[in-house]
Amino acid sequence: MKASDADILIIPGYTNSGPSHWQSRWEAKLSTARRVEQAEWSKPVREDWIARIAEEVNASTRPVILIAHSLGVTSAVHAIPHFRKPVAGAFFVAPPDVANPDIRPKHLMTFGPYPRDPLPFPSITVASRNDPFGSYDHADDIASSWGSFLVDAGEAGHINADSGHGPWPEGTMVFAQFLSRLSA
């Protein structure tokens, strides 16, 4: 599949993805990409985030590719039962452990636990060995339950601009390879 054959939905996490974040850079470069905007980025409400993602998927005119980061991953997986349009694949990055009582801010725990059913579309989950918001073992466990291919990003922090992942060329290559293996 080519990017131009899909509606690419950029799904940021808690507090959104700023201009130097790899998601914002990808959105600017991918002609069919659009961001799923949330009404409240800093005090997220699970039901509202899920509804917005489902609304964007259901408004799509082409097969959908989800590109979710952090809390966006959690929200996207919770939104799946509400999708009425086909999703061709999902690229999940840095899924947080929302069941961890040490997560901050605490209200992010309202997004847990993750659904553990196999996903109805192909997916890749990229996880770091030193993500402060979720362990690699946690990412391995949920990716396995979803049937998602797990990519070990090494010691990459939360895979965001703060951890030096603005341009993120390695992620671009993994995403391009994933996209090339999807059927329209």
Side-chain angles (χ1 to χ4, degrees):
M1 175 181 284
K2 295 178 188 167
S4 59
D5 297 332
D7 282 335
I8 298 173
L9 298 182
I10 305 290
I11 307 170
Y14 175 64
T15 71
N16 202 351
S17 294
S20 61
H21 193 286
W22 62 267
Q23 278 188 313
S24 298
R25 292 168 186 249
W26 289 16
E27 180 183 5
K29 288 183 179 180
L30 296 166
S31 64
T32 62
R34 68 182 185 271
R35 182 174 305 240
V36 176
E37 292 291 345
Q38 298 292 350
E40 185 54 66
W41 289 108
S42 60
K43 291 185 181 172
V45 176
R46 175 177 154 164
E47 293 74 23
D48 295 347
W49 278 41
I50 291 168
R52 279 292 301 129
I53 294 166
E55 182 181 321
E56 289 292 336
V57 168
N58 296 333
S60 296
T61 58
R62 294 173 283 218
V64 173
I65 304 293
L66 307 174
I67 300 178
H69 180 259
S70 193
L71 197 62
V73 175
T74 314
S75 304
V77 175
H78 280 298
I80 292 170
H82 306 283
F83 295 169
R84 294 187 310 273
K85 296 281 180 85
V87 171
F91 190 78
F92 294 146
V93 180
D97 184 354
V98 290
N100 182 343
D102 294 329
I103 196 168
R104 295 291 181 268
K106 282 280 203 200
H107 70 269
L108 299 183
M109 287 184 70
T110 63
F111 282 74
Y114 281 93
R116 300 187 62 82
D117 297 327
L119 300 179
F121 44 76
S123 66
I124 284 184
T125 300
V126 181
S128 167
R129 294 272 175 182
N130 64 340
D131 188 335
F133 301 104
S135 71
Y136 186 82
D137 288 342
H138 171 262
D140 185 22
D141 179 52
I142 58 172
S144 178
S145 72
W146 296 336
S148 184
F149 182 78
L150 181 66
V151 175
D152 184 343
E155 301 229 342
H158 195 49
I159 314 176
N160 60 6
D162 290 343
S163 64
H165 296 86
W168 196 33
E170 302 88 353
T172 303
M173 292 187 317
V174 173
F175 178 69
Q177 187 176 41
F178 174 63
L179 198 58
S180 73
R181 294 185 172 162
L182 296 177
S183 54

